[in-house]
Amino acid sequence: MATAKTPLPITNLPARYLTPEDIAALFEVPLETVYHWRKQRTGPPGFRVGRHVRYDPVAVQAWVAEQSELDAAA
């Protein structure tokens, strides 16, 4: 019987809100992928500050945990 692994926490998150560039660097994906995730609402939840998009590091960590659970269930 397979057991779900607890994902390791992302420990290199800065103590500030993240930019799309930070998310791209964190997951080692192109910046265009981050924008596509946001448009499709499939990536970590972001929010607007004026015209700028920011990501809460806690929400990003929760999204990673959710993705790990979905991957383990598949």
Side-chain angles (χ1 to χ4, degrees), residues 13-14 16-27 29 31 34-35 37-38 44-47 49 52-57 60:
L13 290 176
R16 61 175 172 78
Y17 290 113
L18 304 171
T19 65
E21 291 82 5
D22 293 330
I23 297 297
L26 181 65
F27 294 110
V29 297
L31 184 57
V34 176
Y35 289 128
W37 287 345
R38 178 152 167 82
F47 60 95
V49 178
H52 305 283
V53 176
R54 295 293 180 261
Y55 297 86
D56 184 346
V60 171

